Amino acid sequence: MSQRPLWSAVSLAAIAIAQAVPAMAEEIRNEIVVTSIKDTGEDALGVTVLERSELEARQFQDLSTLSYTAPNVSLDPIGTFKGVANFSIRGLGINSSIPSIDPSVGIFVDGVYMGINAGTVFDALDVERVDILRGPQGVAFGRNTTGGAVLVRTGDPSWEWQGHARAGIEVPVDHGRGGPMVSLRSVVSGPLSDSIAIRLGALYSDDSGYFRNSFDGADFGAARTTVLRGAIAFRPATSFTLTVKGEWTGSDGDGAATHNNGQNPRDEFRLSINQPGFYDSESGFVTAKAELELGQGKLTNVFGWRQYDLSTRNDIDSSPEKIFESDTFTAQEQWSNELYYAADYGMLTLTAGGYLFHQDVGYEETRDLSAFGSPTSYGGGRQDHDVYGLYGQADLNLGTGLVASAGLRWSREEKEAAITYVRPRAPCSAIDASCPVTGENAPGENNGFTDERSWSNLSPRLALAYEGTAGTRLEASWTRGYRSGGYNLRITQPQAFEQVAAGLGTPSFDEERVDTYELGGAWQSSDGLARISAAAYWTEVAGLQREINVPSASSGLAQSVYNTADARILGGEVEAAINPAPALQLAAHLGYTDADYREVFFDINSDGVIDSADRDLELPRVPKWSFGGSLNYYVELGGMGRLTANGFYQHRSRYAYTDNNWGYNSASDRLDASLALAVEGTGLTVTLYGRNLLDQLQFGGDTQLPFAGGPYSDGDNEPFDPAPAAGTFSPLLKGRSVGLELSAQF
């Protein structure tokens, strides 16, 4: 393992040597325009591209700000642990805060895959562009992109001096809410010489807490975040560029804003908890991208390293009584290296590359159920994770507007785990390996296990596209992708787990296979002022991978990860935009998804049998409808400047959160708006904005508990029943707020 990062050094050295050799590359550099399969554009089907100007119009804070941007897309945080993404696209996503479960929607920052979802939804600094890709991306981006991918591009060093800064305050405006959030951001960039440029940035935000804890009357939800970033670009030759970026992020604050649907009305922003808890996270992130124009194409190497630590304490019972509290710690370190070549030979374009990825992940948990007289539980696990990949795609122009594409990725994945069951035991640390993984914790109850497993497969893609002469494009494709198998690091019911593992012949859960068939088209007017695109897709999911959450009298909450079913997802999307006047831009989108179980292998609703009641459940995280639109209008104010109005709206249908459908989110209508005045000749812009102006309540999760019930509990758990049997752990997402921001370009 320790010698594998040499691949990165060798790749970078190879590019550095190669750039010094072919002088012809310098001569033709300005003529080379190469598009690889990793490049996307606004005209690509199933892709939403948000450039810096639109991100600023949406008052972009973090990736969850874009949750209501595109059809069939949900970029929500889970809320259990601050900064953890639970993204879902086209009905494929996860409901988990623990790092052992790989995503269905991959997050890539400057070309580097984020190995776990934790730490990906903090305040963002200097984001240049975000691409939201819908549908499997297995050939171009590898495993864990079965639902899609979110590509984040940060600002590169510039070859002329420039900078920008933003300062803002945002406050809740409804009675009974918390306090303000203030934020400061600044970036400066420019050349140090003809061949070296730098970019430096800093961010600080202080959220005093959006919610009000009725237990003590204090503001709740505090979060303080600091981001420091630096980048340097080397351009020793006109055909070669090396860009290195580094970022440090530190964030801390209160624990989860845990609403209890048994003790509080489901549709009110109300919480009362005796344990405020905390979160404390720190991460370091480095990327290095080398690009060399070589022959008819470009050779690119992307190296990434990341280290992330997160500690938390939460009031799981979500009540003013001490019943169930939990501490967790997550530790992750990853590195990856990718080398690929993209070339354009006229009728034929090619992309081919290789990929290496390694990460060490650790998770440990403490469960305090002492109110029931139970000893404190300790446990968790460690996992080593390696991925090797080779891929390529060829696009052949057949003439008369037809382009045929064929791509294939070979991937091998290896995981090795050491698991300690989360059970009453003496204090220990799973991450530090002081928790036992062999022997017995109690007579007849094992401490845990060690195991390793590997998976190898091929992910193909076939597509046929037609480019018409009147701004039209038609495309049909078939794509296969895989979501990683692995091990559950949080096992609280060892006997039940071992029975299932014995039947399966392995303690691991298997990978998930996704096949998507898609047909789409796009049209753009000759003047570029109107465009529309539409797509229909059919997705077959084999071995659907789910985390099952059920109340447990002994452990508070039992969470198990299994391949529960095969499923079929049908859907469609339409996006349109028009500029009816130079100062007016209108856009709209519509998404529909119908997801059903085809075959069920697991007792999803926990009634003791596998039958039609399981098959009739709705797949979690799949709103049937999503539709909305945006408006951008500006007016010139003579010598004063320009006044710009923006409005963004999306409706999202009700959807299940838990697999048994006991937990869910109601339908919501999200409305954001802003009014910005750019002062002529100063580079200053003053913006008044509002988020979630209709004050729609949504939960990051909604999990039933066996205790902490109240006046809104009815003793029964039923799908989509607003009254739970007892209490719930339901982290709140923010409601209505307004803000004022001053920004400057210099």
Side-chain angles (χ1 to χ4, degrees):
M1 301 280 189
S2 61
Q3 294 183 355
R4 286 177 183 163
L6 289 175
W7 167 271
S8 310
V10 171
S11 299
L12 290 169
I15 291 181
I17 293 172
Q19 64 88 23
V21 176
M24 66 174 183
E26 294 188 15
E27 297 174 1
I28 65 173
R29 180 180 190 271
N30 294 330
E31 300 176 7
I32 296 177
V33 178
V34 179
T35 300
S36 79
I37 59 175
K38 295 180 175 293
D39 297 320
T40 59
E42 294 186 2
D43 59 342
L45 297 178
V47 176
T48 299
V49 176
L50 300 164
E51 301 281 3
R52 183 185 289 272
S53 59
E54 186 164 3
L55 294 173
E56 292 176 350
R58 292 177 177 272
Q59 298 301 308
F60 178 69
Q61 180 180 358
D62 57 49
L63 288 176
S64 69
T65 308
L66 308 178
S67 187
Y68 292 78
T69 301
N72 297 324
V73 170
S74 171
L75 305 184
D76 294 333
I78 192 171
T80 306
F81 303 154
K82 180 73 171 179
V84 177
N86 259 213
F87 294 173
S88 176
I89 295 180
R90 289 184 175 179
L92 294 172
I94 61 173
N95 292 342
S96 184
S97 57
I98 61 175
S100 55
I101 303 172
D102 292 282
S104 297
V105 178
I107 301 173
F108 297 79
V109 179
D110 290 325
V112 175
Y113 170 69
M114 300 288 99
I116 61 175
N117 281 345
T120 57
V121 194
F122 284 122
D123 290 349
L125 171 66
D126 196 25
V127 173
E128 187 73 29
R129 169 171 159 164
V130 177
D131 294 11
I132 303 172
L133 282 58
R134 304 188 293 274
Q137 308 293 323
V139 174
F141 296 101
R143 291 172 175 269
N144 305 321
T145 58
T146 51
V150 177
L151 314 182
V152 179
R153 183 193 301 171
T154 64
D156 288 335
S158 58
W159 296 98
E160 59 181 26
W161 283 102
Q162 59 182 238
H164 58 268
R166 294 163 55 188
I169 182 169
E170 185 175 321
V171 297
V173 294
D174 292 83
H175 177 72
R177 308 286 169 89
M181 178 182 71
V182 296
S183 61
L184 302 168
R185 293 172 170 83
S186 182
V187 174
V188 63
S189 179
L192 298 180
S193 68
D194 291 341
S195 59
I196 300 176
I198 62 171
R199 193 176 188 94
L200 302 173
L203 173 152
Y204 177 74
S205 67
D206 188 347
D207 188 343
S208 59
Y210 178 87
F211 305 98
R212 181 72 53 80
N213 187 357
S214 59
F215 175 78
D216 56 10
D219 294 347
F220 190 83
R224 295 162 294 275
T225 302
T226 301
V227 182
L228 301 175
R229 173 177 293 149
I232 185 167
F234 300 92
R235 192 172 61 180
T238 57
S239 62
F240 176 74
T241 302
L242 172 63
T243 304
V244 180
K245 300 179 180 180
E247 176 183 290
W248 176 86
T249 300
S251 187
D252 65 87
D254 293 337
T258 54
H259 176 96
N260 186 326
N261 287 324
Q263 298 189 355
N264 304 287
R266 185 179 181 89
D267 58 352
E268 294 185 11
F269 290 89
R270 188 186 301 176
L271 59 88
S272 179
I273 57 177
N274 66 299
Q275 172 56 266
F278 66 85
Y279 81 92
D280 192 347
S281 71
E282 184 175 2
S283 69
F285 183 47
V286 175
T287 65
K289 183 177 184 180
E291 298 176 285
L292 170 67
E293 292 180 358
L294 191 62
Q296 295 298 111
K298 181 183 291 185
L299 184 65
T300 302
N301 191 87
V302 179
F303 169 79
W305 171 87
R306 182 192 192 217
Q307 186 170 24
Y308 180 76
D309 294 304
L310 169 68
S311 58
T312 74
R313 175 172 296 162
N314 278 330
D315 189 336
I316 306 300
D317 58 82
S318 313
S319 80
E321 305 296 329
K322 178 177 170 58
I323 302 176
F324 181 9
E325 298 176 1
S326 176
D327 289 6
T328 73
F329 188 75
T330 300
Q332 183 241 10
E333 183 174 10
Q334 70 170 72
W335 66 262
S336 63
N337 198 82
E338 184 167 15
L339 178 67
Y340 62 93
Y341 181 69
D344 187 344
Y345 299 102
M347 293 182 60
L348 178 68
T349 60
L350 294 172
T351 301
Y355 179 71
L356 289 177
F357 172 87
H358 171 78
Q359 72 173 343
D360 297 308
V361 177
Y363 174 82
E364 62 187 41
E365 181 172 307
T366 301
R367 293 193 172 196
D368 183 355
L369 289 160
S370 57
F372 296 101
S374 301
T376 302
S377 295
Y378 297 87
R382 305 178 307 281
Q383 182 172 268
D384 289 344
H385 182 189
D386 290 283
V387 178
Y388 313 85
L390 296 171
Y391 62 91
Q393 179 168 309
D395 301 327
L396 179 62
N397 190 335
L398 302 175
T400 65
L402 286 175
V403 177
S405 300
L408 184 67
R409 178 183 284 253
W410 168 84
S411 179
R412 177 176 174 82
E413 184 168 38
E414 300 172 353
K415 288 189 174 182
E416 182 177 347
I419 309 294
T420 299
Y421 302 138
V422 182
R423 297 293 293 155
R425 65 177 73 249
C428 63
S429 168
I431 293 176
D432 294 339
S434 63
C435 287
V437 295
T438 60
E440 290 189 338
N441 180 51
E445 180 183 285
N446 294 321
N447 276 312
F449 66 90
T450 60
D451 192 60
E452 58 184 87
R453 191 174 175 190
S454 63
W455 297 264
S456 296
N457 51 53
L458 297 173
S459 296
R461 181 180 187 272
L462 297 174
L464 184 64
Y466 171 73
E467 297 278 358
T469 56
T472 59
R473 175 183 173 86
L474 300 174
E475 183 174 316
S477 66
W478 163 62
T479 308
R480 171 170 290 178
Y482 289 88
R483 182 178 169 194
S484 299
Y487 298 89
N488 183 8
L489 301 184
R490 179 199 278 164
I491 298 174
T492 60
Q493 306 290 322
Q495 291 184 344
F497 166 77
E498 288 180 352
Q499 288 178 358
V500 174
L504 295 174
T506 175
S508 68
F509 50 89
D510 208 352
E511 60 186 1
E512 176 184 289
R513 190 187 75 203
V514 174
D515 288 274
T516 293
Y517 307 86
E518 186 167 354
L519 178 65
W523 171 84
Q524 180 171 290
S525 63
S526 58
D527 56 12
L529 298 180
R531 61 183 183 275
I532 186 171
S533 64
Y537 55 88
W538 178 313
T539 297
E540 295 284 347
V541 186
L544 183 68
Q545 201 182 95
R546 300 302 311 169
E547 182 184 55
I548 306 296
N549 296 328
V550 295
S552 168
S554 61
S555 61
L557 183 65
Q559 292 156 306
S560 306
V561 185
Y562 296 114
N563 300 92
T564 61
D566 292 341
R568 174 178 294 164
I569 304 174
L570 307 177
E573 300 159 351
V574 179
E575 294 181 281
I578 187 171
N579 291 48
L584 178 62
Q585 299 175 344
L586 301 174
H589 64 261
L590 169 68
Y592 172 79
T593 304
D594 181 35
D596 296 293
Y597 292 109
R598 297 190 62 197
E599 186 175 357
V600 176
F601 319 127
F602 189 83
D603 180 20
I604 300 175
N605 66 356
S606 305
D607 65 357
V609 294
I610 301 174
D611 56 15
S612 60
D614 298 293
R615 289 189 295 274
D616 290 342
L617 292 170
E618 294 187 15
L619 271 69
R621 305 295 302 282
V622 189
K624 190 174 289 289
W625 292 99
S626 59
F627 56 82
S630 65
L631 174 150
N632 174 277
Y633 177 74
Y634 69 86
V635 58
E636 300 291 351
L637 301 178
M640 291 182 59
R642 171 182 289 188
L643 186 66
T644 303
N646 286 288
F648 307 96
Y649 167 78
Q650 190 190 73
H651 171 83
R652 185 186 293 173
S653 298
R654 179 197 75 173
Y655 64 90
Y657 175 77
T658 55
D659 290 75
N660 54 28
N661 295 179
W662 299 346
Y664 68 96
N665 259 316
S666 301
S668 65
D669 294 278
R670 175 83 179 205
L671 176 63
D672 298 340
S674 67
L675 191 64
L677 173 64
V679 183
E680 183 75 20
T682 66
L684 298 177
T685 301
V686 180
T687 304
L688 176 68
Y689 65 91
R691 302 188 197 272
N692 195 2
L693 289 172
L694 301 180
D695 204 33
Q696 300 286 277
L697 188 150
Q698 294 282 278
F699 302 113
D702 186 24
T703 304
Q704 276 59 37
L705 300 171
F707 38 63
Y712 302 95
S713 305
D714 65 4
D716 294 315
N717 277 320
E718 298 290 340
F720 299 103
D721 184 353
T728 70
F729 175 79
S730 307
L732 288 165
L733 304 182
K734 288 184 177 182
R736 177 166 38 221
S737 63
V738 298
L740 183 67
E741 181 183 84
L742 175 65
S743 63
Q745 301 283 339
F746 51 87

